Amino acid sequence: MMKKVKRTRSGGSFEPPRLVLELPLRTAKLMGTAIPLVQIGGVDKVLALPLPHLPFFPGFHRPVQVKDPKLLAALQESYALHAPFVGAFLVKDEPGTDPSLVSGSKAEKNIYDLKGKELLNRLYEVGIHAKILGIRGDRVVLVALGRLRITEMVDKEPLIVKVGHLKDKPYNKDDDVIKATSFEVKSTLRDVLNTRPYLIRICTKYIDNSEFPRLADLGAVISGAKNLQCQQVLEELDVYKRLKLTLELLKKSMEISKIRELVLETDAKTALSAAKFRERLEGNRDQIPLHVLQVINEELSKLQQFEASSIEFNETHNYLDWLTALPWGIYSDENFDVFRAKKILDEDHYGLADVKERILEFIAVGKHRGTTRGEILCFSGPPGLGKKNLVRSIARALNRKFFRISVGGLTNIAEIKGHFRINVSSMPGKMVQCLKTVGTANPLVLIDGVDKLGRQHARDLTSAVLDLLDLEQNAKFVDDYFFFPIDLSKVLFVCTADVVDNIPKDFLYRMELISIAGYVTDEKMHIARDYLEKSTCEACGIKPEEVEVTDAALLCLIEKYCHEAGVQNLQKHIEKIYHKIALQFGRQGVSYEPAIVDKPGEALVRSTGESSKKDVANTKTIQESEATETIEKVVVDISNLVDFVGDPVFNAERIYDWTPVGVAMGLAWTAMGGSTLYIKATQIEQGEGKGTLSLPGQLGDVMKGSAQLAHIVARSMLFKKEPDNRYFANSKLYLHVPKRATPMDEPSAGCTMITSLLSLAMKKLVKKDLAITGEFTLLGKILPIGWVKEKTIAARRNGVKTIIFPSANKRDFDELAINVKEGLDVHFVDDYNQIFDIAFGDDQETGK
């Protein structure tokens, strides 16, 4: 009974080869001759298909181009009549010719010119019984089924031959010799595949799972041997001998691969490397200094003398790679347009009017001089103020490439000066890496965190950075990797620091300090609205009309969560809000663009996405029938702010509405900016002659000295104001100073200490909403302090109405922006008596 086999003829899909053995014996009328299908194990007639290149092996697929029209027609008809079998035979080389000197196309042409007996004589007797999987144009796709041998010719055109099927000779699978040979074939085959990575994934599974005969055939195919050698493997029916032949071919293939690789490494690789380096020099050879060009030529000569596998070759190659990659004589055109610079600064940063003005002055001077070289700016201020972004804006304004070198974490001088060229891993320092990265010799380089250098005990590292910044030395900066000077005079260096006091003194006199004090609340509001909220919206993929953060919520966020001088923490909290909102939208299952809203405050409509699964042609119907989901606009206000950012981080610095007896408010500066502080004096023991002062242990020596002096001045002042009051003489006092009150520039809480002590002794309250800052002498004269802007901002932030500054700081206060000074009653004093009159006026209440 015949078995029916389903065939798929469209789209190039064919039935699996495993179904071939189920086909029955049929006959087909082809070119006037009855050609029976191949009968496995018998003697049959088949079309003879000549193979000009390499024999075919059982189990492999192969496309064959058929240029003989009659043969192609016969194959097509055979395929159409469900008799898709053919005999494929390798063509012998033409007698008296060298196959290596005959092109493939010419050889094929000669083959198809042969007919009948002449063609039969040029075919090897042993070939392949193959099945036609498909025909596309003149290409016939075959799968090899088994070996066969030609016995006689049946018809001349197209050539039809009678064949007999060949079987492998019986062999013992457990034979140790065959096992050992097959193991060696597998091992060598894997070595060959390692040189051809594109075949590894395809062939690995066949190596492990193939039986010995198929393993030998696979090895012959992978070896890439010549026609005759592969034909010998095809004709060998003894499995052991076939494995031996394949092993020889694979080993020969490995030897050829090694020889080719060696030749490539020694000749081609060296030549390619040298050519690559010379090509890099072509564009700007005239700009390269002569001493550098001489070094490059010497190293190129060395490169050609070394073997490609040697360490010396790799070291020289890396050295030349750095030398030829540097931008010798390549400069970007500086732009000194101050109007363009102002526009860029205003686009990137809000406020900072005084800082921007100084930057514009710097650019204007550069315009007149023709270069910005000569000054090194250093921006100082608490973290989060945008110092690095400000420097990046300067680079954009000047049309210079930007590069950042952070020196805070450096511990090794080689990071700056480079490593000595003693091994392959050696490389130049950060500055040379910068030049290679930016591709110009005049970038703007940010030396970030110069104050961190003061924390380290590596004097050599500080000296190396100084070599970069010193205008007298950086024109001949020597990187230890190169051993010759590199001109860095066209590089513009800008520095940043958090704490000025920590900057090494050698740096200070080389730089111009530009202090960035911090942002007041209204500046933070503008920055949050105009910069942070917009960028966060875009980053989270949320439309501005979908979310509203009220002014009250934003103000609460600034005052109770982000109290520091900068806005970095504020940005993080705004991001946290939008991340929560994005999650809320995600949980509601909305993912499409919001519909356009005609009226403000109207609810947003988002598609549920069901329409994407329907026919596009019915769009109108879908829009009318699809389910929609209404999403309310998310409003973040004070009532629900905690749900997005948690409980407030900062408690108000303003502890008292009216400071009690013995407490005075001062102003201090820390690394986070200005802050208010309360200094409290209290009595711990009373008795005749027990007048002493105790201090907290965390105070430094300078602050302790200031507190002791405050005690002396307070006793003197009390004697003048109330001669009969012996409170200080008979009271053991404790003066509490918050840890954050220790200023990092110089002491400025002395006047506040005197005021708190006098308040306790006289039982009088200090004036409401008064903040005092300043140091004093033994005679009560007031000394100037620093960080006026930071302390003024801190006072405004905490609702202070009256501030007392030393008279020497009046100029500093006058230079502040109007929005910083607005609403403050500021007194400038020279003597503590003036402070006393303001703090303890006649209208002040007496404490109980």
Side-chain angles (χ1 to χ4, degrees):
M1 184 175 178
M2 296 175 59
K3 293 184 180 179
K4 294 185 178 180
V5 180
K6 183 178 180 181
R7 298 181 57 81
T8 303
R9 302 296 299 275
S10 62
S13 298
F14 309 100
E15 61 172 310
R18 61 183 179 82
L19 299 179
V20 171
L21 299 181
E22 299 179 9
L23 290 173
L25 181 66
R26 302 177 182 176
T27 60
K29 186 74 176 176
L30 181 59
M31 302 296 290
T33 306
I35 306 175
L37 271 173
V38 175
Q39 181 180 2
I40 304 299
V43 177
D44 299 298
K45 303 172 185 177
V46 292
L47 281 167
L49 176 63
L51 301 176
H53 309 294
L54 294 177
F56 211 3
F57 286 89
F60 290 90
H61 294 69
R62 181 173 173 181
V64 179
Q65 187 176 19
V66 180
K67 295 184 178 181
D68 185 348
K70 292 185 178 180
L71 177 58
L72 180 61
L75 292 172
Q76 290 172 339
E77 189 169 353
S78 176
Y79 180 64
L81 295 174
H82 304 290
F85 296 97
V86 67
F89 302 92
L90 181 66
V91 178
K92 301 175 184 177
D93 296 329
E94 189 174 355
T97 62
D98 186 352
S100 63
L101 301 177
V102 180
S103 64
S105 59
K106 186 175 180 180
E108 292 181 21
K109 184 177 180 181
N110 294 338
I111 293 169
Y112 294 116
D113 289 339
L114 303 178
K115 306 296 179 185
K117 189 70 173 179
E118 189 178 4
L119 176 59
L120 180 65
N121 293 334
R122 286 286 302 280
L123 299 179
Y124 284 101
E125 289 184 358
V126 177
I128 282 294
H129 167 219
K131 178 184 178 182
I132 303 173
L133 293 181
I135 301 176
R136 292 183 181 176
D138 62 352
R139 290 190 175 273
V140 180
V141 182
L142 304 175
V143 59
L145 303 177
R147 290 171 168 80
L148 48 75
R149 184 190 300 275
I150 297 175
T151 57
E152 63 178 282
M153 183 175 69
V154 176
D155 201 348
K156 295 182 179 180
E157 192 175 359
L159 182 62
I160 300 173
V161 294
K162 188 177 290 186
V163 296
H165 291 274
L166 302 177
K167 293 184 179 181
D168 295 328
K169 294 180 180 180
Y171 65 95
N172 184 4
K173 294 182 179 181
D174 298 325
D175 185 270
D176 292 338
V177 177
I178 293 180
K179 282 185 176 181
T181 306
S182 67
F183 180 81
E184 192 172 358
V185 169
K186 290 181 180 180
S187 177
T188 310
L189 190 53
R190 288 191 179 93
D191 292 339
V192 173
L193 288 176
N194 287 332
T195 65
R196 304 170 191 178
Y198 56 92
L199 290 175
I200 291 178
R201 198 179 74 170
I202 302 173
C203 299
T204 301
K205 61 181 179 180
Y206 294 112
I207 295 174
D208 297 330
N209 302 324
S210 296
E211 295 183 353
F212 299 147
R214 176 151 185 172
L215 179 65
D217 293 342
L218 176 64
V221 174
I222 299 299
S223 69
K226 295 181 179 180
N227 292 358
L228 178 59
Q229 295 168 324
C230 288
Q231 181 66 28
Q232 291 173 349
V233 175
L234 181 66
E235 294 179 357
E236 184 57 65
L237 300 180
D238 187 297
V239 174
Y240 171 69
K241 292 181 179 179
R242 192 190 301 170
L243 285 170
K244 291 288 287 183
L245 287 172
T246 297
L247 184 60
E248 291 176 6
L249 297 181
L250 289 171
K251 287 185 175 181
K252 186 175 181 180
S253 176
M254 276 300 300
E255 291 176 2
I256 294 173
S257 297
K258 290 179 180 178
I259 293 173
R260 285 175 182 170
E261 183 180 356
L262 182 61
V263 171
L264 176 64
E265 289 183 352
T266 55
D267 296 332
K269 186 177 179 181
T270 303
L272 288 172
S273 298
K276 178 183 72 173
F277 297 139
R278 289 193 174 94
E279 184 179 353
R280 287 183 182 178
L281 301 176
E282 289 303 319
N284 63 334
R285 180 180 290 271
D286 296 338
Q287 303 294 331
I288 301 177
L290 291 178
H291 66 278
V292 177
L293 202 57
Q294 182 179 355
V295 172
I296 292 175
N297 291 331
E298 290 175 356
E299 294 298 322
L300 282 172
S301 300
K302 289 182 184 178
L303 186 71
Q304 297 174 352
Q305 298 174 8
F306 298 135
E307 292 185 4
S309 59
S310 65
I311 296 176
E312 292 82 0
F313 177 89
N314 291 323
E315 289 179 358
T316 306
H317 184 279
N318 291 345
Y319 189 59
L320 281 167
D321 188 47
W322 280 103
L323 280 174
T324 56
L326 293 182
W328 304 107
I330 300 176
Y331 302 98
S332 57
D333 296 329
E334 277 193 292
N335 192 321
F336 296 109
D337 187 345
V338 291
F339 297 103
R340 176 177 176 271
K342 186 178 187 308
K343 182 180 179 182
I344 290 174
L345 291 173
D346 290 339
E347 285 176 355
D348 296 346
H349 306 276
Y350 179 83
L352 305 177
D354 52 342
V355 177
K356 292 178 181 177
E357 188 71 15
R358 180 62 193 94
I359 293 172
L360 294 177
E361 293 171 1
F362 175 76
I363 295 175
V365 171
K367 180 178 181 180
H368 288 284
R369 295 181 55 193
T371 178
T372 51
R373 182 176 183 266
E375 294 181 85
I376 299 174
L377 302 180
C378 179
F379 295 95
S380 64
L385 293 178
K387 298 188 291 292
K388 289 185 282 293
N389 289 334
L390 190 63
V391 178
R392 196 185 300 272
S393 299
I394 297 174
R396 188 157 71 95
L398 290 172
N399 194 37
R400 285 180 179 242
K401 294 297 182 67
F402 175 81
F403 191 85
R404 172 176 171 262
I405 299 176
S406 178
V407 295
L410 300 184
T411 57
N412 189 352
I413 189 176
E415 296 286 342
I416 300 296
K417 297 282 287 184
H419 300 78
F420 288 100
R421 192 158 62 101
I422 55 177
N423 52 50
V424 178
S425 61
S426 298
M427 62 187 305
K430 293 282 187 183
M431 195 58 232
V432 175
Q433 295 176 35
C434 158
L435 297 179
K436 180 181 178 181
T437 301
V438 300
T440 63
N442 64 333
L444 187 152
V445 177
L446 168 61
I447 307 296
D448 190 18
V450 290
D451 55 325
K452 310 286 192 306
L453 284 172
R455 300 178 183 176
Q456 305 177 29
H457 302 286
R459 176 67 186 172
D460 290 340
L461 183 59
T462 304
S463 301
V465 179
L466 281 175
D467 287 346
L468 290 178
L469 300 180
D470 196 321
L471 301 177
E472 302 298 326
Q473 299 183 42
N474 61 15
K476 296 183 178 180
F477 177 79
V478 178
D479 190 290
D480 291 336
Y481 185 75
F482 288 127
F483 291 109
F484 56 77
I486 300 174
D487 185 7
L488 301 179
S489 61
K490 301 298 189 295
V491 177
L492 176 60
F493 292 98
V494 180
C495 303
T496 62
D498 294 340
V499 183
V500 175
D501 288 354
N502 293 341
I503 300 176
K505 293 182 179 179
D506 293 337
F507 284 78
L508 283 175
Y509 77 88
R510 288 177 168 85
M511 302 184 299
E512 177 186 350
L513 289 175
I514 300 177
S515 176
I516 305 177
Y519 299 106
V520 294
T521 300
D522 58 337
E523 289 177 330
K524 287 186 177 182
M525 288 284 288
H526 279 288
I527 293 171
R529 287 292 187 208
D530 299 339
Y531 298 91
L532 305 182
E533 198 172 3
K534 289 181 179 179
S535 62
T536 305
C537 245
E538 184 178 348
C540 294
I542 297 175
K543 301 297 181 182
E545 60 265 24
E546 296 177 324
V547 179
E548 178 187 353
V549 181
T550 64
D551 290 342
L554 201 55
L555 182 63
C556 180
L557 195 66
I558 292 170
E559 293 184 343
K560 295 187 178 181
Y561 294 83
C562 311
H563 217 175
E564 60 284 331
V567 292
Q568 195 173 44
N569 194 35
L570 178 60
Q571 181 178 7
K572 292 179 180 178
H573 279 75
I574 291 175
E575 289 173 353
K576 183 182 279 189
I577 291 174
Y578 278 86
H579 292 166
K580 294 278 188 183
I581 294 171
L583 177 60
Q584 181 177 331
F585 286 159
R587 284 174 173 167
Q588 292 174 357
V590 292
S591 59
Y592 285 85
E593 296 294 326
I596 298 176
V597 185
D598 294 332
K599 298 179 181 179
E602 187 176 344
L604 299 173
V605 180
R606 287 173 171 257
S607 169
T608 59
E610 295 296 327
S611 60
S612 62
K613 302 177 182 178
K614 301 181 181 181
D615 191 357
V616 179
N618 299 322
T619 303
K620 185 175 180 180
T621 305
I622 293 171
Q623 290 177 347
E624 294 175 354
S625 62
E626 67 177 352
T628 58
E629 186 173 351
T630 302
I631 302 300
E632 294 292 337
K633 183 176 185 177
V634 177
V635 178
V636 181
D637 55 19
I638 294 181
S639 63
N640 62 355
L641 183 62
V642 175
D643 298 335
F644 292 94
V645 293
D647 294 327
V649 177
F650 293 103
N651 294 321
E653 291 181 4
R654 185 70 181 270
I655 302 175
Y656 309 104
D657 291 333
W658 194 314
T659 53
V661 170
V663 179
M665 185 192 300
L667 297 172
W669 183 89
T670 68
M672 298 299 291
S675 66
T676 59
L677 60 105
Y678 291 92
I679 295 181
K680 178 175 177 58
T682 185
Q683 184 186 58
I684 56 177
E685 190 176 349
Q686 187 175 14
E688 189 67 27
K690 291 189 176 182
T692 58
L693 179 68
S694 298
L695 299 170
Q698 82 269 12
L699 284 186
D701 292 338
V702 175
M703 287 293 290
K704 286 180 179 178
S706 180
Q708 294 292 348
L709 186 60
H711 189 222
I712 295 172
V713 173
R715 294 184 68 166
S716 174
M717 185 64 64
L718 182 64
F719 181 75
K720 291 178 182 179
K721 302 295 181 180
E722 298 179 4
D724 297 332
N725 191 336
R726 295 183 54 80
Y727 184 85
F728 286 127
N730 300 326
S731 299
K732 184 176 182 180
L733 305 178
Y734 180 81
L735 190 68
H736 174 63
V737 182
K739 185 176 182 181
R740 70 167 183 237
T742 306
M744 305 189 75
D745 53 344
E746 76 281 328
S748 61
C751 294
T752 313
M753 293 177 182
I754 296 174
T755 305
S756 68
L757 290 169
L758 289 174
S759 172
L760 181 65
M762 296 187 300
K763 303 292 189 292
K764 293 187 72 173
L765 299 176
V766 178
K767 181 179 180 178
K768 186 179 181 181
D769 297 332
L770 171 68
I772 307 169
T773 181
E775 276 299 318
F776 57 91
T777 67
L778 187 59
L779 299 177
K781 296 297 180 181
I782 308 302
L783 301 176
I785 49 89
W787 309 103
V788 172
K789 182 177 181 180
E790 288 82 354
K791 293 174 181 178
T792 305
I793 292 173
R796 286 201 62 210
R797 188 172 62 232
N798 289 277
V800 173
K801 299 295 190 298
T802 307
I803 304 178
I804 297 178
F805 279 127
S807 294
N809 293 112
K810 187 175 187 306
R811 186 189 61 157
D812 300 326
F813 183 82
D814 291 341
E815 292 177 351
L816 299 181
I818 295 176
N819 66 322
V820 176
K821 299 185 290 184
E822 186 178 6
L824 293 174
D825 179 20
V826 181
H827 299 266
F828 299 96
V829 298
D830 297 306
D831 187 272
Y832 187 78
N833 287 312
Q834 297 171 272
I835 298 178
F836 185 89
D837 294 339
I838 298 170
F840 304 106
D842 295 336
D843 57 341
Q844 300 304 310
E845 297 182 7
T846 302
K848 295 181 180 180

